[in-house]
Amino acid sequence: MSAPIDAWQEVLDFWFGAPGSPEFNAERSLWFTKSPATDQAIGRTFGALHARALDGQLNAWAEAPASACALIVLLDQFSRNLYRDDARAFAGDAQALALARRMVDTGADSQLPTPYHRWFVYLPFEHDESLQSQRESLRLFGLLAQREQVASPLEWARKHAEVIERFGRYPHRNRALGRVSTPEEEAFLRLPGSSF
């Protein structure tokens, strides 16, 4: 069974706003505000599609920039909405990162309609717990700030990179992933804003 031809466009319209709408080509509070209502809406509308993406059934979406962006949103961002505080929140990260690397390597990211679409294509680098990915995140978000005057993502990329440089992982994921926090991580997690 294949997904409807426009399913990827539904993902993009939900997340970025439909082209021509006031939400399109603008930063949205929807993205980083923890909201049960948003999480439930994503589950109702895209839960089955998300499962198919994790299972590799939507890999054909990787062949065009817009649908590849939608696939990254499904794998990287919607996983976090659907499974907060659960290991499954990170289940799509490896697939999303591989797709993001491919888009950057081929220049497909430059064919997306707005810098905000590129922001979410670059997030898998920021979410990865490796210094190499963090360096790439800083490079990409630096270019976004320089060329598109979209500076907010660079600020957050720096904060994420600092945590990886310090701990080699994100301590706020430890509980969900069944990892034991070190005393230093436990002290860090007591600080305001330590969990993204």
Side-chain angles (χ1 to χ4, degrees):
M1 180 177 125
S2 62
I5 197 81
D6 59 351
W8 61 266
Q9 187 65 57
E10 291 176 24
V11 172
L12 295 181
D13 289 354
F14 176 86
W15 200 242
F16 298 104
S21 70
E23 295 86 13
F24 192 73
N25 202 17
E27 190 169 337
R28 302 182 71 194
S29 61
L30 166 82
W31 296 337
F32 303 112
T33 303
K34 291 182 181 178
S35 163
T38 299
D39 295 348
Q40 290 164 12
I42 289 171
R44 280 191 310 272
T45 310
F46 301 108
L49 201 61
H50 174 264
R52 295 184 61 213
L54 283 177
D55 196 39
Q57 296 178 37
L58 304 180
N59 288 348
W61 289 14
E63 300 308 314
S67 54
C69 177
L71 186 55
I72 288 173
V73 169
L74 271 173
L75 292 166
D76 184 71
Q77 196 60 50
F78 285 9
S79 294
R80 286 161 168 76
N81 289 97
L82 291 168
Y83 299 111
R84 288 192 189 278
D85 305 316
D86 186 298
R88 292 175 293 175
F90 315 110
D93 283 12
Q95 290 168 269
L97 181 60
L99 185 50
R101 278 196 184 114
R102 177 179 168 188
M103 289 190 74
V104 170
D105 289 348
T106 63
D109 57 317
S110 66
Q111 298 175 46
L112 294 169
T114 77
Y116 300 98
H117 289 71
R118 289 190 286 286
W119 181 348
F120 281 89
V121 166
Y122 301 157
L123 270 182
F125 294 101
E126 183 178 306
H127 289 158
D128 188 46
E129 293 181 315
S130 76
L131 284 172
Q132 179 183 6
S133 290
Q134 293 302 313
R135 285 192 285 269
E136 182 67 348
S137 167
L138 291 170
R139 183 185 77 82
L140 293 167
F141 286 124
L143 290 172
L144 204 62
Q146 179 184 15
R147 295 176 181 170
E148 306 283 353
Q149 286 72 54
V150 179
S152 175
L154 180 58
E155 175 186 339
W156 286 104
R158 287 178 177 144
K159 291 177 181 179
H160 282 74
E162 287 169 6
V163 173
I164 295 298
E165 286 170 9
R166 181 174 173 187
F167 299 107
R169 62 186 185 176
Y170 291 121
H172 66 275
R173 294 184 185 176
N174 289 350
R175 181 177 292 174
L177 293 173
R179 303 188 302 208
V180 177
S181 294
T182 66
E184 186 183 9
E185 287 175 332
E186 288 174 359
F188 172 75
L189 288 170
R190 288 192 287 272
L191 299 174
S194 61
S195 298
F196 298 109

